[in-house]
Amino acid sequence: MPASYLRRGLIAVLLCVVLPAHSLAARSEFDVRTEALERAQSAVVGVISEAVEDAGSIATLGPVRIGSGVIIGDDGLVLTIGYLILEAERVDLLLDGERRVPARVVAYDLATGFGLLQALWPLKREPVALGHSAGLAIDAPLLVASGLPDGGLSLARLASQRAFSGYWEYHIDSALFTVPPRGDHSGAGLFNLDGELLGIGSLVVGDAMGREAGRVPGNMFVPVDLLKPVIAEMRARGASRGSTRAWLGLNCEERGGEVRVLRVTRDSPAELAGVQPGDRILRIDDAEVAALETLWKTLWRDGAEREVRLTIRRGDEQQTLTVHATDRMRTLRRPQGI
C-alpha cells in the first residue's frame, strides 16, 4: 500500500480522536482538515548535518546532528531548529526516509533559535502555511510531525505558553510547551488541526506545565510568531539583528533562586576571565542574579563587544571578575571559503 494512503489513514484516525462528534458529521470539514494535515506532514523532512572539523559546538552537539525541518517556501526554504545546523559543513534533507537532497545554510539566528535552509534541488512538495501561535488555548489539541524514518505524526496538547530561558545563553519571551514528550523533537513541526505550522521543536523539558505544577515531561517548541517579523532579515543577512549581542561562553543552571555555572566553553571570554564550573553568579554589572532571564537580558542590553562584571561566589569566597564579552556570531566556524 502506498505511503500516502497509510499517512492519510493515520491522520483520519487522529482527527476522529480529537474532533467532537458534530465535526465528524460535517464531512466536508473533516475531509478538508485531513487533506491539510496530509500536506503538512508531507512538508516535514529530515535534516542531517555535519559540523566543520574545528567547530566549538562539537563538544556539546557532536559532529553529526540529526533532526527535522519544515518546508515553508515555494523555493525550497526549510525552517528548522538552529542548533542542528550550527557551524555546519554539509547539510542534507531527507525525504521519504531515504532520499537525500543537498541544502545550504541560509541563516542561523541566535535570538530566536531558528535556522533556515535552502534545498539545492527541487523538493516538489508544497510548503505549509504559518499559523498564529499566540492565544492558543491551554489543552488545545495539536499534532507533532517528525521527518525521520521512524518519526511520523502524533497527537499532543498544549500544556503551557510562557517565557523560556535556556542554560546556553538563550531566552525568548514566549515558548510553547506540549505533552506528551517526543524524543525526536529536534526541528519537528507543531501543527494545529488546520495543518498550519505553529512551532519548531527544540528540546525535552521536565516542567511542561510550569515549575509550580511539579515534574511533567514534555517538549518545548519555538513559536513561529517569532519568525514572521525577522524572516526577511534572516534571509538577507543570515541572522536577525537581535542575534548581534554579547556572549560569555557559559552554560548555567537556575535552581532555588540561585544561578550556578555548569560548563564553561573552551577559550571563551568566561574561561579567559577565570570563571569555573560550580561558581554561583551573584550579580552581573549592577543587577542581582536570581534567574537566568536576568543574567541573559542584562548581558545583552549594552552591545555585543563590551566588558561585563560578574560577581561570583566560589566556595566561601566572593570575587568580581571582568569578562571581555564578544559577539557570538564572530566566533562561529564556517566552511572553508564561506
Side-chain angles (χ1 to χ4, degrees), residues 267-281:
D267 297 330
S268 67
E271 184 184 67
L272 296 176
V275 182
Q276 298 179 11
D279 289 346
R280 178 187 170 192
I281 300 178

Side-chain angles (χ1 to χ4, degrees), residues 205-223:
V205 298
D207 59 347
M209 296 183 68
R211 293 182 180 177
E212 63 281 358
R215 180 166 177 79
V216 181
N219 291 123
M220 188 277 275
F221 286 81
V222 182

Side-chain angles (χ1 to χ4, degrees), residues 40-113:
Q41 188 178 7
S42 179
V44 182
V45 298
V47 174
I48 303 173
S49 74
E50 299 176 14
V52 297
E53 186 175 352
D54 58 348
S57 57
I58 289 177
T60 53
L61 298 173
V64 178
R65 297 88 185 260
I66 300 175
S68 301
V70 183
I71 304 169
I72 62 169
D74 291 320
D75 57 351
L77 187 69
V78 173
L79 179 66
T80 187
I81 198 69
Y83 61 74
L84 287 179
I85 59 173
L86 175 61
E87 299 182 304
E89 173 79 43
R90 171 178 175 169
V91 181
D92 288 331
L93 305 177
L94 190 65
L95 279 68
D96 301 319
E98 53 184 25
R99 182 165 67 94
R100 288 198 181 201
V101 174
R104 68 178 180 89
V105 175
V106 174
Y108 167 71
D109 195 55
L110 279 170
T112 60

Side-chain angles (χ1 to χ4, degrees), residues 299-318:
L299 170 64
W300 301 329
R301 72 183 181 187
D302 293 323
E305 305 277 349
R306 69 183 189 90
E307 287 191 352
V308 175
R309 297 187 315 279
L310 287 182
T311 302
I312 65 168
R313 181 175 298 280
R314 183 178 301 159
D316 296 328
E317 179 185 355
Q318 178 175 312

Side-chain angles (χ1 to χ4, degrees), residues 18 135-143 155-160 177-179 190-193 198:
V18 297
L136 283 174
I138 299 302
D139 209 36
L142 305 168
L143 291 164
L155 287 174
R157 292 190 177 274
L158 185 67
S160 63
F177 296 85
T178 64
V179 292
L190 181 69
F191 298 92
N192 61 22
L193 299 187
L198 300 179

